[in-house]
Amino acid sequence: ALWFPTFALVFSVFFQEGFRVLFIMMVRVANTALSRISRDTADLFHGPRYSLIAGLGYGAMSAMFMYVNVLSEASGPGTIYSDGKPSLPIFLTGALLASAMTGL
């Protein structure tokens, strides 16, 4: 029974590192392709453009995860209210937090 957590940990680390290598290879291929069609031959994946794209992607990903967790609460009947403010529905709270994470 102790072998399964060890196997899961080792497998997940190798799986993550494999996708990290694939991502780096994908960025290099995209950089080469974009530099062929761009007039500016500078490295396109460095600087403000790449930071903005990465930030928006991370914000959208966080917003989706946050809102999916809120939608999973909607499986039962009735309206669910947040614990901190009973007059505010949890769907509105989730939508506001998701919008804030996307905006960050």
Side-chain angles (χ1 to χ4, degrees), residues 19-86:
F19 272 101
R20 189 182 320 264
V21 169
L22 287 175
F23 178 74
I24 290 171
M25 289 172 32
M26 183 182 68
V27 166
R28 286 184 182 163
V29 168
N31 192 20
T32 304
L34 288 174
S35 66
R36 284 187 201 149
I37 62 172
S38 177
R39 291 184 202 137
D40 184 17
T41 59
D43 196 7
L44 298 174
F45 282 109
H46 292 291
R49 251 190 268 170
Y50 187 65
S51 300
L52 179 67
I53 291 168
L56 285 175
Y58 182 76
M61 178 189 64
S62 297
M64 284 189 283
F65 276 114
M66 287 175 63
Y67 205 65
V68 165
N69 288 335
V70 171
L71 288 179
S72 69
E73 298 283 334
S75 60
T79 302
I80 302 169
Y81 292 97
S82 61
D83 293 334
K85 186 160 174 90

